[in-house]
Amino acid sequence: MISVKEKLVDNKTVIGTFSKFSSPVSSEILGYLGFDFLILDMEHSALDYHQAEDLIRAGDAAGISTIVRVPGVEESPILRVLEAGSQGIQAPGVDTMEMAKKVVEASRYRPIGKRGLSFSTRAAQYTIKNKDEHMIDSMAKQLVTVQIESKEAVENVEKIAAVEGIDVIFLGPGDLSNSLGVPGQLNHPLVQEAMIRLCNAAQENGKVAGTFVGNHEQALRAFDAGVRYLVFDNDVAFFAKGAQSVLEELRNSI
């Protein structure tokens, strides 16, 4: 499987979604449909580590890169999901350059970071994989993404984008709109201005710009701004909207 990071390095645009279901069925379906990646959401769902590891396995089987949105920037959650074999992490609420460096330290092996070293993990094929190959693959295939989702983070986005070891600078428009005093107004000029500023900072520092969208119009605007890591909605919303559409059509035909 070609990882989502390898696709981005190859200058491709990738499309993924958040996954909140604890069943591997969702991961498999998204993979079979052709999504480039899914993000297991351990910040805004009830997913635990045991479930996440099984969902990563399901993603591997279905040929889809599995990223994990960890609950914060602390070392332990980042290390655990990387060792479980995820193809990257996404850290929320990164407001400063210091927080970004903390994420990198937990995610990358030396000399870039300070990630703890163990070869008895799933990521290292339980000691079976060559140690040097494991460390090389970790750098080449594991994605490190930081979320910009506050006024403070936008003000620091150029410094954050300059941190070595980060791959994707990701705008979280929901929380950002709240921080900017326009809660829920994802199309507000203040949010869109932040998007442009983030894309410029990413480009100037050799990083990829990413964001979340909820509809086709927002996706097109993001692409026009320079986004290449696009997260479209989530699997719970896909299920709910699909079921609602079927039910409404049937009710209206009675």
Side-chain angles (χ1 to χ4, degrees):
M1 175 176 59
I2 301 174
S3 71
V4 65
K5 179 172 180 176
E6 290 171 306
K7 292 178 182 179
L8 289 171
V9 169
D10 199 29
N11 209 37
K12 289 182 170 61
T13 295
V14 295
I15 299 172
T17 188
F18 281 112
S19 181
K20 299 172 183 286
F21 284 123
S22 58
S23 168
V25 173
S26 176
S27 301
E28 291 177 315
I29 289 172
L30 293 169
Y32 297 147
L33 283 172
F35 279 86
D36 295 294
F37 66 100
L38 61 87
I39 304 172
L40 302 181
D41 194 354
M42 296 186 74
E43 183 190 21
H44 291 297
S45 80
L47 283 177
D48 61 30
Y49 292 104
H50 179 76
Q51 292 168 331
E53 185 171 83
D54 283 342
L55 297 180
I56 293 167
R57 286 192 177 95
D60 289 346
I64 184 171
S65 287
T66 304
I67 311 299
V68 180
R69 177 157 71 175
V70 288
V73 301
E74 290 73 25
E75 178 183 3
S76 180
I78 292 174
L79 182 61
R80 291 182 71 178
V81 298
L82 289 176
E83 291 188 339
S86 73
Q87 290 196 343
I89 61 97
Q90 188 153 319
V94 176
D95 294 331
T96 66
M97 180 176 67
E98 290 72 26
M99 293 178 73
K101 288 181 177 179
K102 187 175 181 179
V103 172
V104 171
E105 287 181 352
S107 306
R108 301 293 192 200
Y109 289 125
R110 294 179 186 274
I112 295 176
K114 300 178 181 179
R115 175 178 165 182
L117 193 60
S118 173
F119 298 107
S120 60
T121 63
R122 181 175 182 272
Q125 297 179 0
Y126 310 107
T127 73
I128 297 170
K129 190 172 185 178
N130 176 274
K131 294 178 181 179
D132 291 335
E133 184 183 353
H134 164 65
M135 297 182 72
I136 291 170
D137 281 351
S138 295
M139 185 62 195
K141 298 181 180 182
Q142 288 184 332
L143 195 76
V144 175
T145 300
V146 295
Q147 293 188 189
I148 305 299
E149 44 192 351
S150 71
K151 182 179 180 181
E152 181 184 9
V154 173
E155 291 171 349
N156 290 321
V157 69
E158 289 82 10
K159 294 179 181 178
I160 293 171
V163 174
E164 183 183 7
I166 292 173
D167 299 301
V168 177
I169 310 296
F170 184 92
L171 187 84
D175 283 338
L176 178 60
S177 70
N178 195 36
S179 177
L180 294 174
V182 289
Q185 299 181 49
L186 307 190
N187 298 324
H188 194 279
L190 288 176
V191 177
Q192 295 309 308
E193 288 169 10
M195 182 78 259
I196 298 300
R197 181 171 175 176
L198 179 145
C199 287
N200 289 338
Q203 183 177 24
E204 290 169 4
N205 288 278
K207 307 297 195 296
V208 174
T211 195
F212 171 89
V213 299
N215 58 53
H216 189 67
E217 180 184 351
Q218 291 174 354
L220 292 180
R221 186 164 57 234
F223 289 143
D224 287 342
V227 166
R228 289 201 293 118
Y229 178 88
L230 187 84
V231 179
F232 195 108
D233 222 326
N234 64 76
D235 55 3
V236 169
F238 292 158
F239 180 89
K241 291 174 183 177
Q244 183 180 39
S245 176
V246 171
L247 182 60
E248 287 180 353
E249 185 177 4
L250 290 172
R251 293 289 191 200
N252 292 334
S253 65
I254 298 173

